[in-house]
Amino acid sequence: QQQVKQSPQSLIVQKGGISIINCAYENTAFDYFPWYQQFPGKGPALLIAIRPDVSEKKEGRFTISFNKSAKQFSLHIMDSQPGDSATYFCAAPNNAGNMLTFGGGTRLMVKP
Amino acid sequence: DVKVTQSSRYLVKRTGEKVFLECVQDMDHENMFWYRQDPGLGLRLIYFSYDVKMKEKGDIPEGYSVSREKKERFSLILESASTNQTSMYLCASSLTGVGSYEQYFGPGTRLTVT
C-alpha cells in the first residue's frame, strides 16, 4: 500500500515570499506525481504534475522539484500571492497505476 | 467544460439511517472514485470503479458500498450511518492509462451524522 507523507500541515507566508511544501512517498512503479489545489467550498483541482524523467518542472510561479533516489518531491510557489491561499495536496500512484494516494494536505495562507 | 456533480452539498442524517450519495460526470470517463476528506488526513479513497458494475476497494471501504449501473453515475451507500462517518465526501472521475493521474473532482458533500 502506497503511503505519502506531506509537510508542513499549515504554512503562513508573506505576499511575495516563497512557499515550499514537501512530500515523501514509499514506492511506486509508475512515473507521475501530481499536485492538487483546493479552494474553500470547492473540490481539489490538478495544479501541476511531474514525471520523474525530469528533476524539475515549472509552470508560471509553480515549480515541482523531484528527487527520485530520496523518493521525495516538493512544490515551490514563487512570489506567493493572497490568491494562492488554499489547501495543497501531493499524490503518488499506487503500484497498479490506477489509483492515487494523497498526502495529508497543507493549508497555505499568504498574508497581504 | 468538464463537470462532476454531486447530489447534495450538505446532508444531515441520523445514526442508523441508510444514506445515498450520488455522483454524475459528463466527460465519458472510465474511472470514478469516492474519497472522504478529514482535516490532517487528506483524501482517503473509499472505493474505485474502472467500468460499469466494476469496483475495487480503496483504503477505507468498511461501512460503505458502491454502485455503478451506468458509466456516468457512481453512488456511495452508507448502509447504516454512524457518527464516525461524519465527513466531507468527494467524488472524482478520470480517464484510464496515461490520463489517470488527472482526476476531476466534484464540489463535495458535507455529511453530518447525528
Side-chain angles (χ1 to χ4, degrees):
Chain A
Q1 187 176 347
Q2 178 71 273
Q3 288 205 24
V4 179
K5 294 184 178 178
Q6 183 174 343
S7 62
Q9 272 199 327
S10 63
L11 185 59
I12 300 174
V13 173
Q14 290 294 130
K15 179 182 174 183
I18 303 173
S19 305
I20 302 173
I21 305 170
N22 300 299
C23 276
Y25 64 97
E26 287 192 334
N27 222 348
T28 180
F30 289 85
D31 60 351
Y32 52 79
F33 296 88
W35 284 89
Y36 281 76
Q37 180 188 53
Q38 183 182 31
F39 292 107
K42 305 280 188 184
L46 179 69
L47 177 65
I48 186 172
I50 193 169
R51 292 184 175 270
D53 52 349
V54 297
S55 60
E56 188 174 283
K57 180 174 181 180
K58 188 174 181 179
E59 287 185 3
R61 294 184 294 108
F62 299 89
T63 300
I64 301 180
S65 299
F66 184 76
N67 185 332
K68 189 171 184 177
S69 61
K71 295 182 182 176
Q72 293 177 346
F73 57 111
S74 59
L75 176 69
H76 290 63
I77 307 174
M78 312 300 288
D79 187 27
S80 299
Q81 299 296 312
D84 298 330
S85 297
T87 301
Y88 293 82
F89 296 96
C90 61
N94 67 343
N95 284 328
N98 57 4
M99 302 183 210
L100 292 173
T101 298
F102 286 84
T106 297
R107 180 175 276 188
L108 171 66
M109 180 187 297
V110 181
K111 289 193 166 183
Chain B
D1 196 19
V2 297
K3 207 161 186 182
V4 178
T5 56
Q6 295 184 229
S7 51
S8 306
R9 293 300 302 271
Y10 300 93
L11 211 51
V12 179
K13 295 292 181 180
R14 292 195 180 276
T15 302
E17 279 193 82
K18 192 168 185 176
V19 182
F20 293 86
L21 302 182
E22 302 279 328
C23 174
V24 177
Q25 51 98 0
D26 66 358
M27 296 164 281
D28 201 35
H29 283 169
E30 293 86 1
N31 296 337
M32 295 189 76
F33 309 84
W34 275 108
Y35 295 90
R36 65 176 280 177
Q37 180 176 8
D38 300 288
L41 298 177
L43 306 173
R44 293 181 292 166
L45 182 65
I46 304 171
Y47 267 99
F48 158 57
S49 170
Y50 53 92
D51 202 349
V52 174
K53 297 190 187 295
M54 307 306 287
K55 62 185 179 186
E56 282 190 26
K57 291 181 180 179
D59 299 321
I60 51 165
E62 297 79 18
Y64 303 95
S65 62
V66 290
S67 171
R68 193 168 179 199
E69 298 296 319
K70 293 185 178 182
K71 190 176 184 179
E72 68 271 17
R73 190 179 296 268
F74 192 33
S75 302
L76 180 70
I77 303 151
L78 287 66
E79 295 289 342
S80 177
S82 64
T83 54
N84 63 12
Q85 292 178 311
T86 291
S87 187
M88 171 69 82
Y89 290 88
L90 290 162
C91 174
S93 71
S94 78
L95 295 168
T96 55
V98 70
S100 62
Y101 70 89
E102 182 166 8
Q103 296 185 11
Y104 293 84
F105 284 83
T109 295
R110 184 163 294 281
L111 173 67
T112 303
V113 183
T114 62

